[in-house]
Amino acid sequence: MYKLLSTIANMLPLKYLPQLIRFRLLTMHMIYAKINAALWLLFLERGDGTMNNNFQEFIKAAAHVKPSENQLRMLRKTPFYAFIHFSPNTYTNLEWGLGNEDPAIFNPTELDCDQWCEAIKSAGMKGAVITAKHHDGFCLWPSKYTEHSIKNSPYKNGKGDIVREFADACRRHGLKFGFYLSPWDRNSKYYGTPEYNDYYKNQLTELLTGYGEVFHIWFDGACGEGPNGKKQEYDYEGYIELIRKYQPKATIFNDFGPDIRWCGNESGSARYAEWAVVPSELCYRCKNVQTGAGPLEGDLSHMYNSDSDIGFLSNIIYSKGLVFCPSEIDMSIRPGWFYHENEEPHSLERLFNTYLNSVGANTTFNLNIPPMPNGRFNDKDAARLHELGQLIKRSFADEITSRAKITSEYIGDGQLRVRFDFDSPEKISYVQIKERISEGQRVETFQLRRENNGKEDTIYRGSCIGSNKICRIGVTTDNLILHITSARDKVELEEIAIFA
């Protein structure tokens, strides 16, 4: 197969490159590495020296695209955090409120932010993001810029501030605090006018300056106004400027950056390969473009967060420049984002698989838990969070890496073999691999192998690694080989951990 692809690669004119690369998507697990090899041959073995040099320089530059301090801290210290959706929708059984709800319906008589934090912490999460305002415009803090807020609700006779209660509870429980402020506002009279951006920035400033340190600020582009609805041009650049001014250590989530991007769905689904180094055409709010243009001229305006090949060579070679912007996988513990009595929490298996395919696949994981109308988490949800935390702890409690004799060797450019030999057969459930992501994301493909009677068998095939890759393998063996089969530059691994 390799020789055939190499021959085809050398015969094809350059104009057929996209078709050749995209062919790998059809049988990704089987020929991902071989098509990459054909791609490299196409550029490196043809006679066009200028193209060869440009390609080599670009790939090397791509390997050195680095995270900011905020991004690195998020990936390393807070990759798993909670989302809290709580608003009049909780009382109307809606997902998107209309904006005309009477604040009098909002009355969480048993609100317990400490219970929220205890449940969140039991799952192993390190932070939480509260929906301070959803699309209906109702504010969970007494904003001085609107009457559609908690100050006109029965809660604490209009003297309550749930954002403050939650921020204080987070700090009591050692959790980081963040918030979501929806740009779409179906209540504000300013929505659809230039004045709305001032209104939004005033509310944003209240939250940025009144509730202590914020680790993550979340805003999306959701708007269901329809073709004849109000049209609002959001001043995202102005919003970002305010955040950088008042909370310089906070990461910012938006569909297109600047710090964390949307994964493209709300079901907890991950891509086969999740790159944090992506075209600036996708994450155009990332201003730190760290490379020049790719070796081929083209147009990437078609790219969207739900595309399956974001960060692959097949698209970055057309980019005007690359940025570092990892994705966030978000989902709710129940089917809905807000509490609905007829729904049940997802299974432990689904939540754990999502954890492996997010935190364990170079993304962050934002798991929503919706409070009930009384202001508490449902006992079933709290129990499921505890079960998830216990399962994560058990799965990674017994590290056996130190029992092995470890040898390693670099094989040319971008390849590495690391071998682990045990004195006797060991049960291996998981292998965790981390690149030195502070220096860039480089690994394209890798395999986990074992030697048996002088022959090596592949037991796991993977694509990129990035900040963290957890491989679930479930074998018993007296040796294990990590073979990095392709990378964009010299492989820099920070950690390899083996768990029984």
Side-chain angles (χ1 to χ4, degrees):
M1 173 67 78
Y2 177 85
K3 290 182 178 179
L4 174 62
L5 292 172
S6 301
T7 302
I8 293 172
N10 283 315
M11 291 173 60
L12 283 175
L14 287 177
K15 67 179 181 179
Y16 292 117
L17 176 64
Q19 291 89 333
L20 176 66
I21 303 169
R22 294 184 193 281
F23 174 68
R24 72 181 177 191
L25 300 177
L26 300 177
T27 53
M28 190 145 349
H29 290 274
M30 298 299 296
I31 64 170
Y32 185 96
K34 293 181 174 64
I35 294 295
N36 270 350
L39 172 62
W40 283 79
L41 284 170
L42 177 60
F43 277 109
L44 299 179
E45 293 186 3
R46 291 180 65 88
D48 187 341
T50 301
M51 178 63 74
N52 293 347
N53 291 337
N54 288 347
F55 179 71
Q56 292 181 70
E57 291 171 1
F58 178 73
I59 293 301
K60 192 175 185 67
H64 291 264
V65 175
K66 301 174 183 178
S68 68
E69 290 185 11
N70 289 354
Q71 290 171 322
L72 184 61
R73 184 169 55 249
M74 188 73 159
L75 288 169
R76 283 290 190 245
K77 303 295 185 182
T78 322
F80 187 25
Y81 43 98
F83 218 170
I84 309 293
H85 276 66
F86 193 39
S87 83
N89 293 352
T90 308
Y91 301 86
T92 61
N93 206 35
L94 297 175
E95 284 290 300
W96 283 8
L98 303 176
N100 59 2
E101 293 83 4
D102 186 344
I105 68 174
F106 187 84
N107 190 23
T109 54
E110 300 176 43
L111 184 87
D112 189 347
C113 291
D114 286 303
Q115 186 239 8
W116 298 1
C117 291
E118 288 168 2
I120 289 166
K121 196 170 182 180
S122 76
M125 291 183 262
K126 304 298 184 184
V129 176
I130 190 169
T131 301
K133 181 185 78 170
H134 203 247
H135 310 325
D136 52 70
F138 183 84
C139 299
L140 292 186
W141 81 102
S143 174
K144 67 181 181 181
Y145 297 100
T146 182
E147 296 302 305
H148 197 53
S149 81
I150 198 170
K151 67 186 177 186
N152 288 314
S153 77
Y155 180 65
K156 293 189 174 181
N157 296 316
K159 302 299 181 182
D161 184 343
I162 291 178
V163 174
R164 184 169 306 285
E165 288 187 57
F166 184 60
D168 291 346
C170 283
R171 294 186 178 96
R172 283 195 297 272
H173 292 272
L175 294 169
K176 298 179 181 180
F177 165 76
F179 65 82
Y180 166 31
L181 185 67
S182 169
W184 185 27
D185 190 323
R186 305 184 78 173
N187 176 267
S188 174
K189 65 181 180 181
Y190 301 114
Y191 192 83
T193 72
E195 288 77 18
Y196 178 74
N197 281 313
D198 293 331
Y199 171 80
Y200 184 88
K201 284 189 275 190
N202 285 335
Q203 290 192 325
L204 182 59
T205 300
E206 286 182 319
L207 294 170
L208 291 172
T209 59
Y211 296 89
E213 186 172 338
V214 180
F215 89 102
H216 194 47
I217 295 158
W218 210 94
F219 51 81
D220 56 10
C223 181
E225 290 289 336
N228 299 317
K230 297 177 182 179
K231 305 296 182 183
Q232 179 65 51
E233 293 292 330
Y234 298 125
D235 181 16
Y236 285 116
E237 298 304 318
Y239 308 162
I240 293 169
E241 183 180 356
L242 272 179
I243 295 168
R244 300 297 193 214
K245 176 181 178 181
Y246 292 116
Q247 294 288 343
K249 293 183 178 180
T251 47
I252 303 171
F253 169 92
N254 187 255
D255 290 4
F256 308 105
D259 298 323
I260 308 290
R261 60 181 167 84
W262 184 40
C263 70
N265 65 77
E266 296 181 347
S267 62
S269 301
R271 268 174 281 271
Y272 170 72
E274 190 61 70
W275 285 92
V277 178
V278 297
S280 56
E281 289 88 342
L282 175 69
C283 295
Y284 51 82
R285 294 201 173 98
C286 301
K287 299 308 180 184
N288 185 22
V289 180
Q290 300 184 46
T291 73
L296 292 183
E297 293 184 7
D299 176 29
L300 293 180
S301 60
H302 63 276
M303 288 189 68
Y304 191 58
N305 292 289
S306 56
D307 290 351
S308 61
D309 60 348
I310 293 172
F312 285 15
L313 289 177
S314 56
N315 59 53
I316 69 170
I317 56 176
Y318 290 104
S319 178
K320 300 295 188 295
L322 303 178
V323 298
F324 192 98
C325 193
S327 74
E328 173 190 278
I329 286 184
D330 48 11
M331 68 175 290
S332 184
I333 197 169
R334 290 166 171 255
W337 289 94
F338 288 91
Y339 184 81
H340 305 286
E341 190 174 5
N342 63 332
E343 294 179 350
E344 294 291 328
H346 293 306
S347 69
L348 177 60
E349 179 184 16
R350 178 173 178 182
L351 293 176
F352 184 61
N353 285 339
T354 303
Y355 176 87
L356 295 179
N357 292 323
S358 56
V359 176
N362 197 42
T363 79
T364 65
F365 183 16
N366 191 1
L367 177 61
N368 179 68
I369 311 99
M372 298 185 293
N374 65 2
R376 292 177 58 85
F377 283 171
N378 186 288
D379 288 342
K380 292 180 180 179
D381 296 351
R384 185 54 42 85
L385 290 173
H386 179 74
E387 290 171 350
L388 177 61
Q390 291 301 303
L391 179 55
I392 293 171
K393 285 182 179 179
R394 289 197 307 271
S395 299
F396 304 101
D398 188 8
E399 184 180 349
I400 61 172
T401 318
S402 62
R403 301 178 195 172
K405 177 185 177 182
I406 305 172
T407 56
S408 64
E409 64 172 329
Y410 284 96
I411 311 167
D413 295 327
Q415 293 187 323
L416 171 67
R417 280 173 63 90
V418 184
R419 180 171 176 131
F420 301 83
D421 285 291
F422 297 93
D423 291 336
S424 59
E426 297 276 3
K427 176 187 174 184
I428 300 177
S429 299
Y430 301 94
V431 177
Q432 182 178 40
I433 314 165
K434 297 181 180 182
E435 288 190 68
R436 197 174 303 282
I437 197 70
S438 59
E439 299 303 314
Q441 184 180 356
R442 302 177 183 182
V443 175
E444 283 264 351
T445 57
F446 71 93
Q447 298 176 4
L448 292 172
R449 305 171 68 85
R450 62 179 171 183
E451 184 181 346
N452 186 18
N453 295 324
K455 180 182 177 181
E456 290 187 9
D457 298 319
T458 300
I459 55 179
Y460 186 97
R461 297 178 187 271
S463 55
C464 55
I465 294 174
S467 176
N468 188 27
K469 179 64 178 179
I470 298 174
C471 311
R472 178 158 49 181
I473 57 175
V475 299
T476 299
T477 179
D478 63 2
N479 69 86
L480 183 72
I481 302 163
L482 169 62
H483 187 183
I484 307 295
T485 50
S486 64
R488 296 175 177 180
D489 200 359
K490 183 179 179 181
V491 180
E492 295 283 355
L493 297 183
E494 187 168 296
E495 181 182 358
I496 306 171
I498 302 173
F499 299 91

